[in-house]
Amino acid sequence: MELIIYLAIGAIAGFAAGLFGVGGGLIIVPILYVVFTQQGYDPAVIMHLALGTSLATIMVTSISSVMAHQKRGAILWSVFKNLAPGLVVGAFLGAAIADKLPSAVLQLIIGLFACWVAYRMFKGAQQAQSISQQLPSTGKQLFAGTGIGIASAIFGIGGGSLTVPYLSKNGVVMQKAVATSAACGLPIAIAGALGFMVFGRSQAIAMPHTIGYVHLYAFIGISVMSFITAKFGAKVAHALSPAKLKKCFAVMLLCIGTYFIVQAAQAML
């Protein structure tokens, strides 16, 4: 039953990764939080375990999603090269920061962040894309990548929730923003997962089937299925209009954000 649950999570997360360029983390984290809670893990580290495992699975999901988007020539590799160094450094630092934060605080931060991004994306869907907008200089992109990397590790995501709005705001067509975001998810996931393994190693002794804050069985089950379904999500992404894609993205984020805010409020009361 446990394996079936992880496979189901992977199927949903993989499709979301291809569709929204988010790496599936915004779906994986809340579901894993519920699953790990039911399995009786220490409440103090459940959120950390969900975040670390999410980032580990995104390593595999991103590869599948990138392959699908690359076939359509939608990835802006020049932008990826500018963002990647900052993403790597930021993601590792983000894991270190997350390790020091209480579970309830992480839930509240993630919930508020998701709702804020949902609002920004839904508002942006009502506005026409400005073709006059251009991406910032290489240095500013590197700086932005660092910030995205830090936040992504704390949120256990592939960075799509930040990378997609960042690129879209700077004149990149939504489909290309999603595709490039999928590529950016790989360095974030690798650096972030390694960080959670390193900083959570003191907790690993008390948790079976884990390396630091990464649950091995969940990682394998989710990764296998998400690799298969990510290509279908990417196919749907290219069939939808940019406005519809933004609205779908916003609705998903709003649901996840509300869930975590409620969980954080209950934990703090």
Side-chain angles (χ1 to χ4, degrees):
M1 179 59 69
E2 184 177 346
L3 179 58
I4 293 175
I5 292 174
Y6 294 144
L7 290 173
I9 296 173
I12 298 172
F15 184 82
L19 181 60
F20 301 120
V22 297
L26 284 171
I27 292 177
I28 295 173
V29 171
I31 297 179
L32 282 181
Y33 174 83
V34 173
V35 172
F36 291 151
T37 299
Q38 295 300 315
Q39 292 177 349
Y41 284 97
D42 184 354
V45 299
I46 286 179
M47 198 64 191
H48 301 78
L49 189 61
L51 294 173
T53 305
S54 172
L55 285 167
T57 63
I58 290 171
M59 291 189 294
V60 179
T61 306
S62 293
I63 294 174
S64 177
S65 184
V66 167
M67 291 172 61
H69 284 295
Q70 179 60 18
K71 289 182 179 179
R72 299 173 182 272
I75 300 175
L76 302 176
W77 288 110
S78 59
V79 176
F80 170 81
K81 292 178 181 178
N82 292 335
L83 293 174
L87 294 173
V88 171
V89 174
F92 194 82
L93 291 175
I97 295 172
D99 179 52
K100 301 300 181 182
L101 295 176
S103 181
V105 173
L106 284 173
Q107 292 171 15
L108 182 60
I109 292 174
I110 294 172
L112 293 174
F113 164 75
C115 288
W116 177 78
V117 174
Y119 167 75
R120 296 285 297 180
M121 291 298 291
F122 192 83
K123 182 179 179 181
Q126 314 301 320
Q127 302 173 350
Q129 184 88 38
S130 174
I131 59 175
S132 62
Q133 289 289 101
Q134 293 184 348
L135 285 164
S137 64
T138 300
K140 290 182 178 180
Q141 288 184 52
L142 179 64
F143 182 77
T146 303
I148 291 173
I150 291 175
S152 297
I154 293 176
F155 303 146
I157 60 178
S161 305
L162 289 167
T163 309
V164 172
Y166 171 74
L167 295 177
S168 180
K169 179 181 178 181
N170 286 285
V172 178
V173 176
M174 189 61 180
Q175 276 81 356
K176 290 189 176 181
V178 168
T180 305
S181 171
C184 290
L186 186 57
I188 290 175
I190 293 174
L194 287 175
F196 274 98
M197 288 179 185
V198 171
F199 299 115
R201 64 186 183 278
S202 62
Q203 300 287 345
I205 299 176
M207 298 186 293
H209 317 306
T210 62
I211 298 178
Y213 289 127
V214 175
H215 192 288
L216 296 179
Y217 287 176
F219 163 68
I220 295 172
I222 295 173
S223 297
V224 169
M225 189 58 72
S226 64
F227 186 85
I228 297 173
T229 59
K231 64 181 68 176
F232 297 107
K235 184 177 181 179
V236 174
H238 288 275
L240 294 175
S241 68
K244 287 183 178 179
L245 195 55
K246 284 184 179 181
K247 289 180 180 178
C248 291
F249 189 80
V251 170
M252 183 192 71
L253 288 178
L254 181 61
C255 293
I256 298 301
T258 301
Y259 169 82
F260 272 126
I261 290 174
V262 171
Q263 290 296 312
Q266 292 177 345
M268 292 178 177
L269 292 178

